[in-house]
Amino acid sequence: MPAFLVEPCNAAFIPSNNITLERNGMTWEYQEQITGNESIIFRSFIDLQAGNKDKFVNAWEILKAETFLRDQMREALKTKSDVKLNGTPDLIKVTDVDFCISKEALGKVLKNTSITSSASVNYIFEKEVNQSTNIWFMGTPNSIVTITLPAGFNIEKIEGLENKSQEPEGNRVALKGNFNPEKNITLWISENESYKAAMQERERNIEQNAENKTNETVNKTETIEKVGKAVEARKTPEFIKNIYTWFYQIVQKVNLV
């Protein structure tokens, strides 16, 4: 389970974190493998907390346990935020929480095969990340973490990330490493000026193309209207000519009489 629910200190828990940052929010995905005697304790928790205490875990007990843990995570985040933007949690809002326990948990409580649990939390930022943004994360000590920056952003400074490496992923940068024993990581990020300029140029091109298409539509409409008027103009004399011919024929008949 994530650090704000329980803080495992032994090899029976193998947690990993995947954080994806956007300009206006982020997603934090957790995955944890529970092995050995800890898996027996976790199955017992499911059977006692969400089940019928028969020392056997079935599918509906897992579903109830997932709901319980989802609610616990949401409440824990209200009490103690695991993310801060520019030094405060007030600019961040949790929008969605999910929790999933693998089917490996099914079966007798006393079996010690590994169980994988995963969770996902979505956040929105009240203020978009920009040139002067720092972001603080609280995770499980020594756990593996990957942090993917918003498109077009660079790292200016890092604190708390051990064994760090940096890899490009398209127009993004991915940081990899481990939370330090103090379980905190802080990033200072800035926007890549060349990328920013390229995006602004792209937006101008999109606007120009939209304007050109609008002008083309207007021109086509005007052309169609002009052609229509010309056709009508040609039709009108022909109509008058036909009326005149009909009237002339009537006059001729009258004169003949």
Side-chain angles (χ1 to χ4, degrees):
M1 286 173 280
F4 46 77
L5 292 183
V6 61
E7 297 186 0
C9 301
N10 54 54
F13 292 87
I14 308 172
S16 63
N17 310 268
N18 194 334
I19 301 170
T20 303
L21 293 169
E22 304 292 349
R23 289 174 178 268
N24 58 354
M26 59 171 276
T27 301
W28 191 334
E29 297 176 338
Y30 311 82
Q31 190 173 77
E32 191 166 66
Q33 189 176 26
I34 307 168
T35 62
N37 289 334
E38 301 296 339
S39 68
I40 296 176
I41 294 172
F42 191 63
R43 286 187 179 87
S44 298
F45 157 77
I46 296 173
D47 184 45
L48 294 171
Q49 179 66 41
N52 54 9
K53 305 176 181 61
D54 63 351
K55 300 189 183 300
F56 190 91
V57 175
N58 57 38
W60 69 265
E61 290 174 333
I62 289 178
L63 290 174
K64 287 186 67 176
E66 289 174 343
T67 300
F68 173 81
L69 290 169
R70 187 181 302 121
D71 293 342
Q72 289 295 304
M73 285 182 65
R74 192 181 294 277
E75 289 302 315
L77 286 169
K78 289 180 182 178
T79 303
K80 186 176 183 180
S81 178
D82 60 345
V83 185
K84 294 179 182 179
L85 186 64
N86 294 331
T88 176
D90 298 337
L91 298 174
I92 300 172
K93 180 181 178 182
V94 175
T95 58
D96 189 45
V97 178
D98 197 14
F99 201 101
C100 181
I101 301 171
S102 68
K103 293 188 291 184
E104 301 160 341
L106 291 169
K108 294 180 179 179
V109 165
L110 293 179
K111 70 176 183 179
N112 63 356
T113 55
S114 65
I115 303 169
T116 301
S117 64
S118 58
S120 177
V121 183
N122 294 328
Y123 309 75
I124 58 171
F125 299 154
E126 299 293 335
K127 180 181 179 182
E128 283 195 355
V129 297
N130 53 37
Q131 291 294 95
S132 58
T133 297
N134 67 79
I135 307 175
W136 174 91
F137 309 97
M138 178 183 70
T140 303
N142 306 313
S143 63
I144 300 168
V145 61
T146 297
I147 305 173
T148 304
L149 301 186
F153 275 74
N154 297 327
I155 287 293
E156 294 296 324
K157 183 181 175 183
I158 309 172
E159 289 183 357
L161 181 64
E162 297 188 339
N163 305 315
K164 60 179 176 288
S165 64
Q166 184 172 316
E167 299 176 6
E169 291 187 358
N171 57 6
R172 293 173 177 256
V173 173
L175 298 171
K176 297 184 179 181
N178 302 82
F179 276 93
N180 64 13
E182 286 73 38
K183 68 185 181 181
N184 300 325
I185 294 174
T186 305
L187 303 181
W188 286 262
I189 62 177
S190 64
E191 193 169 8
N192 185 296
E193 289 299 325
S194 60
Y195 177 85
K196 182 179 179 180
M199 289 298 99
Q200 290 173 343
E201 180 64 24
R202 180 172 178 270
E203 289 177 3
R204 283 194 293 268
N205 290 337
I206 291 172
E207 291 175 359
Q208 185 62 49
N209 290 337
E211 184 178 345
N212 291 340
K213 287 182 180 179
T214 301
N215 291 336
E216 287 176 7
T217 302
V218 171
N219 292 337
K220 286 180 181 178
T221 303
E222 290 176 350
T223 301
I224 291 170
E225 289 176 352
K226 290 177 180 178
V227 171
K229 289 178 180 178
V231 171
E232 288 300 322
R234 288 196 297 271
K235 285 181 178 179
T236 301
E238 187 69 24
F239 173 76
I240 294 173
K241 181 182 177 182
N242 291 338
I243 293 294
Y244 177 79
T245 302
W246 170 76
F247 180 73
Y248 178 77
Q249 289 171 351
I250 292 175
V251 171
Q252 289 294 102
K253 286 181 181 180
V254 170
N255 290 336
L256 287 174
V257 173

